[in-house]
Short mmCIF file of all heavy atoms in Angstrom, two decimals:
data_model
loop_
_atom_site.label_atom_id
_atom_site.label_comp_id
_atom_site.label_asym_id
_atom_site.label_seq_id
_atom_site.Cartn_x
_atom_site.Cartn_y
_atom_site.Cartn_z
N MET A 1 -32.19 -8.89 -30.66
CA MET A 1 -32.02 -10.33 -30.82
C MET A 1 -32.14 -10.77 -32.27
O MET A 1 -32.07 -11.94 -32.56
CB MET A 1 -33.08 -11.07 -29.99
CG MET A 1 -32.99 -10.81 -28.53
SD MET A 1 -31.46 -11.47 -27.90
CE MET A 1 -31.48 -10.84 -26.25
N ASP A 2 -32.33 -9.83 -33.17
CA ASP A 2 -32.57 -10.19 -34.57
C ASP A 2 -31.30 -10.42 -35.37
O ASP A 2 -31.36 -10.83 -36.52
CB ASP A 2 -33.39 -9.09 -35.25
CG ASP A 2 -34.70 -8.88 -34.55
OD1 ASP A 2 -35.26 -9.87 -34.06
OD2 ASP A 2 -35.16 -7.73 -34.49
N ASP A 3 -30.11 -10.16 -34.80
CA ASP A 3 -28.88 -10.25 -35.58
C ASP A 3 -28.35 -11.67 -35.72
O ASP A 3 -27.38 -11.89 -36.41
CB ASP A 3 -27.80 -9.34 -34.97
CG ASP A 3 -27.50 -9.70 -33.53
OD1 ASP A 3 -28.10 -10.65 -32.99
OD2 ASP A 3 -26.66 -9.02 -32.93
N GLY A 4 -28.96 -12.63 -35.05
CA GLY A 4 -28.53 -14.02 -35.19
C GLY A 4 -27.32 -14.37 -34.35
O GLY A 4 -26.94 -15.52 -34.28
N GLU A 5 -26.70 -13.40 -33.69
CA GLU A 5 -25.52 -13.67 -32.88
C GLU A 5 -25.85 -13.73 -31.40
O GLU A 5 -24.97 -13.83 -30.57
CB GLU A 5 -24.47 -12.58 -33.11
CG GLU A 5 -23.97 -12.55 -34.53
CD GLU A 5 -22.96 -11.44 -34.76
OE1 GLU A 5 -22.44 -10.89 -33.78
OE2 GLU A 5 -22.70 -11.13 -35.92
N ALA A 6 -27.10 -13.67 -31.06
CA ALA A 6 -27.50 -13.70 -29.66
C ALA A 6 -27.34 -15.11 -29.11
O ALA A 6 -27.49 -16.09 -29.85
CB ALA A 6 -28.94 -13.25 -29.53
N PRO A 7 -27.06 -15.23 -27.83
CA PRO A 7 -26.99 -16.56 -27.23
C PRO A 7 -28.34 -17.26 -27.36
O PRO A 7 -29.38 -16.62 -27.34
CB PRO A 7 -26.68 -16.27 -25.75
CG PRO A 7 -26.21 -14.87 -25.69
CD PRO A 7 -26.76 -14.17 -26.89
N PRO A 8 -28.34 -18.58 -27.48
CA PRO A 8 -29.58 -19.31 -27.70
C PRO A 8 -30.62 -19.06 -26.61
O PRO A 8 -31.80 -18.91 -26.90
CB PRO A 8 -29.17 -20.77 -27.71
CG PRO A 8 -27.71 -20.78 -27.94
CD PRO A 8 -27.18 -19.45 -27.49
N GLU A 9 -30.20 -19.00 -25.33
CA GLU A 9 -31.19 -18.81 -24.28
C GLU A 9 -31.84 -17.44 -24.36
O GLU A 9 -33.01 -17.30 -24.10
CB GLU A 9 -30.59 -19.04 -22.89
CG GLU A 9 -29.46 -18.10 -22.50
CD GLU A 9 -28.09 -18.52 -22.99
OE1 GLU A 9 -27.96 -19.58 -23.61
OE2 GLU A 9 -27.14 -17.77 -22.76
N LYS A 10 -31.10 -16.40 -24.73
CA LYS A 10 -31.68 -15.06 -24.88
C LYS A 10 -32.59 -15.02 -26.11
O LYS A 10 -33.62 -14.39 -26.09
CB LYS A 10 -30.59 -13.99 -25.00
CG LYS A 10 -29.83 -13.75 -23.74
CD LYS A 10 -30.72 -13.09 -22.72
CE LYS A 10 -29.95 -12.76 -21.48
NZ LYS A 10 -30.76 -12.12 -20.47
N SER A 11 -32.18 -15.69 -27.17
CA SER A 11 -32.98 -15.73 -28.38
C SER A 11 -34.31 -16.43 -28.09
O SER A 11 -35.36 -15.98 -28.52
CB SER A 11 -32.21 -16.44 -29.48
OG SER A 11 -32.88 -16.31 -30.70
N ASN A 12 -34.24 -17.53 -27.36
CA ASN A 12 -35.46 -18.26 -27.00
C ASN A 12 -36.36 -17.41 -26.12
O ASN A 12 -37.57 -17.44 -26.26
CB ASN A 12 -35.12 -19.57 -26.29
CG ASN A 12 -34.54 -20.59 -27.24
OD1 ASN A 12 -34.73 -20.50 -28.43
ND2 ASN A 12 -33.81 -21.55 -26.70
N GLU A 13 -35.74 -16.65 -25.22
CA GLU A 13 -36.52 -15.78 -24.33
C GLU A 13 -37.29 -14.75 -25.15
O GLU A 13 -38.48 -14.51 -24.92
CB GLU A 13 -35.59 -15.08 -23.35
CG GLU A 13 -36.28 -14.16 -22.39
CD GLU A 13 -35.31 -13.44 -21.48
OE1 GLU A 13 -34.27 -14.03 -21.13
OE2 GLU A 13 -35.59 -12.29 -21.14
N ARG A 14 -36.63 -14.16 -26.11
CA ARG A 14 -37.28 -13.14 -26.96
C ARG A 14 -38.41 -13.78 -27.78
O ARG A 14 -39.49 -13.22 -27.88
CB ARG A 14 -36.24 -12.52 -27.89
CG ARG A 14 -36.83 -11.57 -28.90
CD ARG A 14 -36.27 -10.21 -28.74
NE ARG A 14 -36.67 -9.35 -29.84
CZ ARG A 14 -37.47 -8.32 -29.67
NH1 ARG A 14 -37.90 -8.01 -28.48
NH2 ARG A 14 -37.81 -7.57 -30.69
N GLU A 15 -38.14 -14.96 -28.34
CA GLU A 15 -39.16 -15.65 -29.13
C GLU A 15 -40.37 -16.00 -28.26
O GLU A 15 -41.52 -15.87 -28.70
CB GLU A 15 -38.59 -16.92 -29.75
CG GLU A 15 -37.61 -16.66 -30.86
CD GLU A 15 -36.94 -17.92 -31.37
OE1 GLU A 15 -37.42 -19.03 -31.04
OE2 GLU A 15 -35.94 -17.79 -32.07
N LEU A 16 -40.11 -16.42 -27.02
CA LEU A 16 -41.21 -16.76 -26.13
C LEU A 16 -42.03 -15.53 -25.76
O LEU A 16 -43.25 -15.59 -25.69
CB LEU A 16 -40.68 -17.44 -24.86
CG LEU A 16 -40.15 -18.86 -25.05
CD1 LEU A 16 -39.53 -19.37 -23.76
CD2 LEU A 16 -41.25 -19.79 -25.51
N ARG A 17 -41.35 -14.39 -25.54
CA ARG A 17 -42.08 -13.16 -25.25
C ARG A 17 -42.98 -12.77 -26.42
O ARG A 17 -44.12 -12.37 -26.24
CB ARG A 17 -41.11 -12.02 -24.92
CG ARG A 17 -40.70 -12.00 -23.47
CD ARG A 17 -39.97 -10.73 -23.10
NE ARG A 17 -38.55 -10.92 -23.34
CZ ARG A 17 -37.79 -10.13 -24.09
NH1 ARG A 17 -38.29 -9.07 -24.64
NH2 ARG A 17 -36.52 -10.39 -24.27
N LEU A 18 -42.45 -12.90 -27.64
CA LEU A 18 -43.24 -12.57 -28.82
C LEU A 18 -44.42 -13.53 -28.97
O LEU A 18 -45.53 -13.12 -29.32
CB LEU A 18 -42.37 -12.60 -30.07
CG LEU A 18 -41.30 -11.50 -30.16
CD1 LEU A 18 -40.39 -11.75 -31.36
CD2 LEU A 18 -41.94 -10.14 -30.26
N LEU A 19 -44.18 -14.81 -28.70
CA LEU A 19 -45.23 -15.82 -28.80
C LEU A 19 -46.33 -15.56 -27.77
O LEU A 19 -47.52 -15.65 -28.08
CB LEU A 19 -44.65 -17.22 -28.62
CG LEU A 19 -45.63 -18.38 -28.74
CD1 LEU A 19 -46.29 -18.40 -30.11
CD2 LEU A 19 -44.93 -19.69 -28.47
N VAL A 20 -45.95 -15.22 -26.54
CA VAL A 20 -46.93 -14.93 -25.50
C VAL A 20 -47.78 -13.73 -25.90
O VAL A 20 -49.01 -13.75 -25.75
CB VAL A 20 -46.23 -14.69 -24.14
CG1 VAL A 20 -47.18 -14.05 -23.14
CG2 VAL A 20 -45.68 -15.98 -23.59
N ALA A 21 -47.15 -12.70 -26.44
CA ALA A 21 -47.90 -11.52 -26.88
C ALA A 21 -48.89 -11.89 -27.99
O ALA A 21 -50.04 -11.44 -27.99
CB ALA A 21 -46.95 -10.43 -27.36
N GLN A 22 -48.44 -12.72 -28.92
CA GLN A 22 -49.32 -13.14 -30.02
C GLN A 22 -50.49 -13.97 -29.49
O GLN A 22 -51.64 -13.77 -29.90
CB GLN A 22 -48.51 -13.96 -31.03
CG GLN A 22 -49.34 -14.44 -32.20
CD GLN A 22 -48.55 -15.34 -33.14
OE1 GLN A 22 -47.45 -15.77 -32.83
NE2 GLN A 22 -49.12 -15.62 -34.28
N LEU A 23 -50.22 -14.87 -28.55
CA LEU A 23 -51.28 -15.70 -27.99
C LEU A 23 -52.28 -14.88 -27.19
O LEU A 23 -53.49 -15.14 -27.23
CB LEU A 23 -50.69 -16.81 -27.13
CG LEU A 23 -49.92 -17.89 -27.90
CD1 LEU A 23 -49.24 -18.84 -26.94
CD2 LEU A 23 -50.83 -18.64 -28.85
N LYS A 24 -51.79 -13.86 -26.48
CA LYS A 24 -52.69 -12.99 -25.74
C LYS A 24 -53.64 -12.26 -26.69
O LYS A 24 -54.83 -12.11 -26.40
CB LYS A 24 -51.91 -11.97 -24.91
CG LYS A 24 -51.32 -12.56 -23.65
CD LYS A 24 -50.59 -11.48 -22.85
CE LYS A 24 -50.03 -12.05 -21.57
NZ LYS A 24 -49.33 -11.02 -20.78
N ARG A 25 -53.11 -11.82 -27.84
CA ARG A 25 -53.97 -11.15 -28.83
C ARG A 25 -55.02 -12.13 -29.37
O ARG A 25 -56.19 -11.77 -29.53
CB ARG A 25 -53.13 -10.59 -29.97
CG ARG A 25 -52.42 -9.29 -29.63
CD ARG A 25 -51.85 -8.63 -30.86
NE ARG A 25 -50.90 -9.46 -31.57
CZ ARG A 25 -49.59 -9.54 -31.31
NH1 ARG A 25 -49.08 -8.82 -30.36
NH2 ARG A 25 -48.81 -10.32 -32.01
N LEU A 26 -54.61 -13.36 -29.65
CA LEU A 26 -55.55 -14.35 -30.17
C LEU A 26 -56.66 -14.65 -29.16
O LEU A 26 -57.84 -14.73 -29.53
CB LEU A 26 -54.83 -15.64 -30.55
CG LEU A 26 -53.96 -15.57 -31.81
CD1 LEU A 26 -53.14 -16.84 -31.96
CD2 LEU A 26 -54.83 -15.36 -33.03
N VAL A 27 -56.30 -14.81 -27.90
CA VAL A 27 -57.28 -15.09 -26.86
C VAL A 27 -58.24 -13.90 -26.73
O VAL A 27 -59.45 -14.08 -26.60
CB VAL A 27 -56.60 -15.41 -25.52
CG1 VAL A 27 -57.59 -15.39 -24.37
CG2 VAL A 27 -55.91 -16.76 -25.59
N ALA A 28 -57.69 -12.70 -26.78
CA ALA A 28 -58.54 -11.50 -26.67
C ALA A 28 -59.53 -11.43 -27.82
O ALA A 28 -60.66 -10.99 -27.64
CB ALA A 28 -57.67 -10.25 -26.63
N ASN A 29 -59.12 -11.88 -29.00
CA ASN A 29 -60.01 -11.87 -30.16
C ASN A 29 -61.06 -12.98 -30.09
O ASN A 29 -62.16 -12.83 -30.61
CB ASN A 29 -59.22 -12.00 -31.46
CG ASN A 29 -58.40 -10.78 -31.76
OD1 ASN A 29 -58.70 -9.69 -31.28
ND2 ASN A 29 -57.36 -10.94 -32.56
N LYS A 30 -60.74 -14.09 -29.46
CA LYS A 30 -61.66 -15.23 -29.40
C LYS A 30 -62.65 -15.12 -28.25
O LYS A 30 -63.71 -15.74 -28.29
CB LYS A 30 -60.87 -16.55 -29.26
CG LYS A 30 -60.05 -16.89 -30.48
CD LYS A 30 -60.93 -17.12 -31.68
CE LYS A 30 -60.12 -17.44 -32.91
NZ LYS A 30 -60.92 -17.56 -34.10
N THR A 31 -62.35 -14.36 -27.23
CA THR A 31 -63.22 -14.27 -26.07
C THR A 31 -64.62 -13.76 -26.43
O THR A 31 -65.61 -14.36 -25.98
CB THR A 31 -62.57 -13.39 -24.98
OG1 THR A 31 -61.32 -13.97 -24.62
CG2 THR A 31 -63.45 -13.27 -23.76
N PRO A 32 -64.77 -12.71 -27.23
CA PRO A 32 -66.14 -12.29 -27.59
C PRO A 32 -66.91 -13.37 -28.35
O PRO A 32 -68.11 -13.53 -28.15
CB PRO A 32 -65.91 -11.06 -28.47
CG PRO A 32 -64.56 -10.56 -28.12
CD PRO A 32 -63.78 -11.76 -27.72
N GLU A 33 -66.21 -14.12 -29.20
CA GLU A 33 -66.87 -15.21 -29.92
C GLU A 33 -67.38 -16.25 -28.95
O GLU A 33 -68.52 -16.72 -29.07
CB GLU A 33 -65.91 -15.87 -30.91
CG GLU A 33 -65.56 -15.04 -32.10
CD GLU A 33 -64.57 -15.76 -33.02
OE1 GLU A 33 -64.57 -17.00 -33.06
OE2 GLU A 33 -63.80 -15.05 -33.69
N ALA A 34 -66.56 -16.63 -28.00
CA ALA A 34 -66.95 -17.65 -27.02
C ALA A 34 -68.14 -17.15 -26.19
O ALA A 34 -69.08 -17.92 -25.92
CB ALA A 34 -65.77 -18.00 -26.11
N ASP A 35 -68.11 -15.89 -25.80
CA ASP A 35 -69.22 -15.32 -25.04
C ASP A 35 -70.50 -15.33 -25.85
O ASP A 35 -71.58 -15.63 -25.33
CB ASP A 35 -68.89 -13.89 -24.59
CG ASP A 35 -67.79 -13.83 -23.55
OD1 ASP A 35 -67.49 -14.88 -22.93
OD2 ASP A 35 -67.23 -12.73 -23.36
N PHE A 36 -70.39 -15.00 -27.14
CA PHE A 36 -71.57 -15.01 -28.02
C PHE A 36 -72.18 -16.40 -28.09
O PHE A 36 -73.39 -16.59 -27.91
CB PHE A 36 -71.20 -14.52 -29.42
CG PHE A 36 -72.28 -14.75 -30.42
CD1 PHE A 36 -73.37 -13.91 -30.50
CD2 PHE A 36 -72.21 -15.83 -31.30
CE1 PHE A 36 -74.38 -14.12 -31.42
CE2 PHE A 36 -73.21 -16.06 -32.23
CZ PHE A 36 -74.30 -15.20 -32.29
N PHE A 37 -71.34 -17.41 -28.34
CA PHE A 37 -71.85 -18.77 -28.49
C PHE A 37 -72.38 -19.31 -27.18
O PHE A 37 -73.35 -20.07 -27.15
CB PHE A 37 -70.80 -19.69 -29.10
CG PHE A 37 -70.59 -19.45 -30.56
CD1 PHE A 37 -69.36 -19.03 -31.05
CD2 PHE A 37 -71.62 -19.62 -31.46
CE1 PHE A 37 -69.18 -18.79 -32.40
CE2 PHE A 37 -71.45 -19.40 -32.82
CZ PHE A 37 -70.22 -18.98 -33.29
N LYS A 38 -71.78 -18.94 -26.07
CA LYS A 38 -72.26 -19.37 -24.77
C LYS A 38 -73.67 -18.82 -24.52
O LYS A 38 -74.56 -19.54 -24.09
CB LYS A 38 -71.31 -18.89 -23.67
CG LYS A 38 -71.69 -19.34 -22.28
CD LYS A 38 -70.66 -18.85 -21.27
CE LYS A 38 -71.06 -19.24 -19.86
NZ LYS A 38 -70.08 -18.73 -18.88
N GLY A 39 -73.85 -17.53 -24.83
CA GLY A 39 -75.18 -16.92 -24.67
C GLY A 39 -76.21 -17.55 -25.59
O GLY A 39 -77.35 -17.79 -25.19
N ALA A 40 -75.81 -17.82 -26.83
CA ALA A 40 -76.72 -18.42 -27.80
C ALA A 40 -77.12 -19.82 -27.34
O ALA A 40 -78.31 -20.20 -27.42
CB ALA A 40 -76.06 -18.49 -29.18
N LEU A 41 -76.18 -20.58 -26.82
CA LEU A 41 -76.49 -21.92 -26.33
C LEU A 41 -77.44 -21.86 -25.14
O LEU A 41 -78.38 -22.66 -25.06
CB LEU A 41 -75.20 -22.65 -25.95
CG LEU A 41 -75.36 -24.06 -25.41
CD1 LEU A 41 -75.99 -24.96 -26.47
CD2 LEU A 41 -74.01 -24.62 -24.99
N GLN A 42 -77.23 -20.91 -24.25
CA GLN A 42 -78.14 -20.77 -23.11
C GLN A 42 -79.55 -20.41 -23.55
O GLN A 42 -80.53 -20.93 -23.01
CB GLN A 42 -77.60 -19.70 -22.14
CG GLN A 42 -76.37 -20.14 -21.39
CD GLN A 42 -75.75 -19.02 -20.57
OE1 GLN A 42 -76.08 -17.85 -20.76
NE2 GLN A 42 -74.85 -19.38 -19.67
N ARG A 43 -79.68 -19.54 -24.58
CA ARG A 43 -81.01 -19.18 -25.08
C ARG A 43 -81.69 -20.38 -25.73
O ARG A 43 -82.90 -20.59 -25.56
CB ARG A 43 -80.89 -18.01 -26.06
CG ARG A 43 -80.61 -16.68 -25.38
CD ARG A 43 -80.72 -15.51 -26.33
NE ARG A 43 -79.75 -15.54 -27.41
CZ ARG A 43 -78.51 -15.08 -27.33
NH1 ARG A 43 -78.07 -14.55 -26.21
NH2 ARG A 43 -77.70 -15.14 -28.37
N VAL A 44 -80.94 -21.16 -26.49
CA VAL A 44 -81.50 -22.35 -27.14
C VAL A 44 -81.95 -23.35 -26.08
O VAL A 44 -83.05 -23.92 -26.17
CB VAL A 44 -80.48 -22.98 -28.11
CG1 VAL A 44 -80.91 -24.37 -28.54
CG2 VAL A 44 -80.27 -22.08 -29.31
N GLU A 45 -81.14 -23.56 -25.06
CA GLU A 45 -81.51 -24.49 -23.99
C GLU A 45 -82.77 -24.00 -23.26
O GLU A 45 -83.66 -24.79 -22.96
CB GLU A 45 -80.35 -24.64 -22.99
CG GLU A 45 -79.19 -25.46 -23.51
CD GLU A 45 -79.54 -26.93 -23.67
OE1 GLU A 45 -80.36 -27.45 -22.87
OE2 GLU A 45 -79.00 -27.56 -24.58
N ALA A 46 -82.84 -22.70 -22.99
CA ALA A 46 -84.01 -22.16 -22.29
C ALA A 46 -85.26 -22.31 -23.15
O ALA A 46 -86.33 -22.67 -22.64
CB ALA A 46 -83.79 -20.68 -21.95
#
């Protein structure tokens, strides 16, 4: 799909697949941070 001659709907499909993969990586990286802060907040509350 990189040649620029792809139909718009196929090009959008490829871009969306790449975006989904990127977002999955970001969520996977942020999950440990969220877990850490959740645990820290629970300890402070306790």
Side-chain angles (χ1 to χ4, degrees):
M1 298 294 172
D2 301 325
D3 58 1
E5 296 178 16
E9 61 275 358
K10 290 291 184 180
S11 189
N12 288 338
E13 180 183 327
R14 174 120 171 113
E15 289 174 14
L16 289 174
R17 275 191 271 126
L18 292 173
L19 182 60
V20 166
Q22 180 184 11
L23 291 173
K24 283 182 179 181
R25 282 192 301 273
L26 288 172
V27 167
N29 290 337
K30 293 296 179 185
T31 301
E33 289 179 29
D35 292 343
F36 169 79
F37 286 118
K38 182 178 178 182
L41 180 61
Q42 289 173 346
R43 286 189 297 275
V44 167
E45 287 291 327

